Amino acid sequence: MAKVVLTPQAENFPAWYQDVVARAELADNGPARGTMVIRPWGYAIWELMQADMDRRIKATGAQNVAFPLFIPMSFLEKEKQHVEGFSPELAVVTHGGGEELTEPLVVRPTSETVINHYFAKWVQSHRDLPLMINLWNNVVRWELRPRVFLRTTEFLWQEGHTAHATYEDAVEETRRMLEVYRRFMEETLAISVAVGEKSPGERFAGADHTFTCEALMRDGKALQMGTSHNLGHNFARAFDIQYLDAGGERRHAATTSWGTSTRMIGGTIMVHGDDHGLRLPPTIAPHQVVIMQLDSEGEAARRVEAELRAAGVRTHLDDRTHTSFGRRSVDWEIKGVPVRIELGARELAAGEATLVRRDDRSKSKVPLDGAARAAIALLDEIQQALFTRSRAFREENTHPVTDFDDFTQRLGDGGLFLAAWSGTEESEQALRERTSATIRCIVDADPPAPTCLITGMPAEHTVLIGRAY
Amino acid sequence: MAKVVLTPQAENFPAWYQDVVARAELADNGPARGTMVIRPWGYAIWELMQADMDRRIKATGAQNVAFPLFIPMSFLEKEKQHVEGFSPELAVVTHGGGEELTEPLVVRPTSETVINHYFAKWVQSHRDLPLMINLWNNVVRWELRPRVFLRTTEFLWQEGHTAHATYEDAVEETRRMLEVYRRFMEETLAISVAVGEKSPGERFAGADHTFTCEALMRDGKALQMGTSHNLGHNFARAFDIQYLDAGGERRHAATTSWGTSTRMIGGTIMVHGDDHGLRLPPTIAPHQVVIMQLDSEGEAARRVEAELRAAGVRTHLDDRTHTSFGRRSVDWEIKGVPVRIELGARELAAGEATLVRRDDRSKSKVPLDGAARAAIALLDEIQQALFTRSRAFREENTHPVTDFDDFTQRLGDGGLFLAAWSGTEESEQALRERTSATIRCIVDADPPAPTCLITGMPAEHTVLIGRAY
């Protein structure tokens, strides 16, 4: 078999990541700093993620819409914390149609401001609530240290926005969407995540509460995979979203927003990938099964292909019999195709096919007639095995810590650290100054000590701490 | 029945259009000049158009990808005609991350330049050809006289880009996609279109040949619904897309591009709409059937709903029994829902249901048990009837003309004018200066006269002339 030309993970994880992105033909860097070109294999993965997430979002009652790319600067300035948080990341259009604009336009970094402006028009009565919309679009946040899929100046995402009659309804919506995201990560991406609230220092600019799904990459760093924000009355006040309640009184609505992005592709690569390349969960694999036809007679291959397609399996017949078997196998391994069915002259003569699993690279011989059925059964097994492995990895690499020096010494080995926390701004600041780690989220667990890991003050919360992308 | 508050088409067609867009809750104007907010009903129509078009595009072998929103100005300048054509329409980002950029970034008006730059990287050998990609994204062209869906500064679209070994292959691809578009317009949008080549004055900036689908709106103006461009070797030379042919010689590839946009929503409104609102072809209706439950007992309504859903019909049960029947009927009429099933106490007592067609507003009574089946049959009839009507309207309003004065006098009545044309730039220029009309396309038909309608010179082509959006 041809040599795999990926840098081993253990040698240099960032180099491995770049190799996989390039060799699996997922993406290229764009010409403008921090932008990316998503190639067919990467985009097909994104389309499958989108379709699945879109179904889940619509099932909550939200409807898709489109809002403009350009937002007048004055809109952003209406919510003080929001504009402070996003100002350093903005791209600004100053010229249009050959003339300088009287008011500069911001390329949306997120759409709360423009959407809440329209919510104020659309919401008049309690009968108009809840108002739940979702957008699939592109946003721009200027990125000084870009990395494809993980931190890019432009990325693709969905952003949901809702308005509710009461604060409690907004609390419930924020939690409902966090749960939609958690289930998507686990059921579709086969990625085990920790869920919890963000600390004030990591909160969305303008939110009362931000909740997050945090996954653990194979290099021991965390990745924020999706967030759900309770904006309370902050945007409703800034944009004057008021409604008449059933008793005829005017009240401010409460709003939320929630988002997931192409960053999830990066997370999928770094949670499941190994030294042989990507390993895709079958749910989001553009080809779930590749049939490797090994000689020019392809009748059996086409029969297996037809059977798989009839069962709704995304199937690709690789009939490049002029290309070496090794080269073709390596191609599909790097691209992360869950199952390969090899059909060579020897196999066919014996009435057999060889099934190769991508997750554990195991091979098995099956009767040719049962090859399609066996492959379908493997897809379920692989989906489950990837998730189980991801969960075990996260659990094994979550370490309770009670002593700050012990924690800082172990931080270099990666993983998530479960710690008691005082909840103060000072302690969060101290953590950032003294280590390269941040509080990833507040979790629902007993604190491992009565006092804060960082300050020694009385503990208020249990948190997960780690280095993050 | 409640009063319909749309301006009649005959009174003021542009006002009627604005009324329909607002009352059917299709879209709002955005805060930045020329931008739009596409609301749930409008966006659901777009999603159905997208899904159908996407299937057709993928069936040709093209794969979806994403390219960056921002293009360095220097990229645009590489193809001289292209930058000249698009310069007046560009939005330019001059500041990013709080600093002035060293090279301004253009917000893509279309992506030929950046894509052909990558084609040059990806195309090395004749085995890499044809290379066929498609993008669903947003583009920006500064618009001085914006109109929702028809001319907007930002719009949503698909842009396809292909590279081929030979000029002939590019010719073939350009024509293939024109045919894909024509069939989509006719089969999915139920809109009859004229297809043909654009005259040089209307050609895409940088193309050798541009082909178009032209539809005729109910006010007698034409709308360009989709275009397919043969870029020949122009971009391949500008961006140095070269490949080694089978004989080992380096050759320039030939490229094409083709696109359709949210403008098609505007076309659908103006081709099918009447004084009562939108009339949606069932293929792109978010609700194909609305069941109007008229009293609080909804058992029969839910049974019909279940039967329709089981048959794959997009069905909505309107159980707002507290709202007046008239108000609800008008809502669904304006929104263009193809079929309504009315279930009142009187109907149910008689074991009947009333079916209402949106296209001709006819009503019929059917046995309750057969209501779902009857509605499904109506959907097919309506799709066909809308197309037949659109074709008849276009044919009836296409007038052969042989005398320029006669033509200019009739131009105010609208329609398309079939004329002989010399093919010269001067005559195209003269037409533009002396009338408000343009050549919509060169068609494959005998010229109605031996000499050019405009100049009297010998005729080279038969063209359709008209006023256009």
Side-chain angles (χ1 to χ4, degrees), chain A residues 321-399:
Chain A
T321 47
H322 56 277
T323 306
S324 83
F325 170 67
R327 165 73 185 278
R328 290 157 67 193
S329 297
V330 167
D331 274 1
W332 297 123
E333 280 223 300
I334 292 180
K335 283 184 185 279
V337 170
V339 174
R340 302 197 299 281
I341 303 179
E342 297 174 359
L343 297 176
R346 225 171 2 168
E347 271 107 346
L348 292 179
E352 287 181 330
T354 302
L355 261 58
V356 190
R357 286 173 71 143
R358 174 63 187 89
D359 62 334
D360 61 8
R361 308 183 81 216
S362 65
K363 295 189 175 201
S364 55
K365 293 230 188 260
V366 293
L368 183 59
D369 281 350
R373 267 198 318 283
I376 291 167
L378 273 192
L379 292 176
D380 285 340
E381 272 183 50
I382 291 168
Q383 183 79 24
Q384 191 53 48
L386 287 175
F387 175 66
T388 304
R389 222 185 119 282
S390 157
R391 188 177 54 195
F393 180 80
R394 187 167 69 80
E395 286 169 357
E396 284 160 18
N397 290 283
T398 300
H399 315 293

Side-chain angles (χ1 to χ4, degrees), chain A residues 28-32 35-40 43 47 58 63-70 72 75 88 90-97 101 105 107-108 114 118 121-122 138 140 142 154 156, chain B residues 28-32 35-40 43 47 58 63-70 72 75 88 90-97 101 105 107-108 114 118 121-122 138 140 142 154 156:
Chain A
D28 257 351
N29 290 314
T35 63
M36 62 178 161
V37 174
I38 308 181
R39 301 184 67 180
Y43 200 82
E47 286 183 306
K58 283 177 176 158
Q63 294 181 298
N64 285 349
V65 300
F67 269 77
L69 175 68
F70 295 152
F75 277 51
L90 300 178
V92 185
V93 175
T94 54
H95 291 73
L101 305 179
L105 295 172
V107 183
R108 65 180 163 221
V114 62
Y118 281 83
K121 289 175 62 174
W122 296 336
N138 53 344
V140 168
W142 213 259
E154 181 193 4
L156 307 182
Chain B
D28 256 351
N29 289 314
T35 62
M36 63 178 162
V37 174
I38 308 181
R39 301 185 68 180
Y43 201 81
E47 286 183 307
K58 282 177 175 157
Q63 295 180 297
N64 284 349
V65 300
F67 269 77
L69 175 69
F70 295 153
F75 276 50
L90 298 178
V92 185
V93 175
T94 54
H95 290 73
L101 305 179
L105 295 172
V107 182
R108 63 179 164 222
V114 61
Y118 281 81
K121 289 176 63 175
W122 296 336
N138 53 345
V140 169
W142 213 259
E154 180 192 6
L156 307 182

Side-chain angles (χ1 to χ4, degrees), chain A residues 413-426:
Chain A
D413 297 335
L416 292 166
F417 297 88
L418 192 82
W421 181 51
S422 62
T424 63
E425 210 173 291
E426 296 71 32

Side-chain angles (χ1 to χ4, degrees), chain B residues 346-353 366-369:
Chain B
R346 224 171 1 171
E347 271 107 345
L348 292 179
E352 286 182 331
V366 293
L368 183 58
D369 280 350

Side-chain angles (χ1 to χ4, degrees), chain B residues 220-235:
Chain B
K221 285 171 84 173
L223 183 73
Q224 176 181 303
M225 298 276 285
T227 46
S228 179
H229 316 294
N230 182 355
L231 308 175
H233 295 118
N234 305 334
F235 283 82

Side-chain angles (χ1 to χ4, degrees), chain B residues 441-457:
Chain B
C441 59
I442 300 164
V443 290
D444 186 16
D446 290 330
T451 56
C452 175
L453 176 76
I454 309 157
T455 61
M457 289 163 66

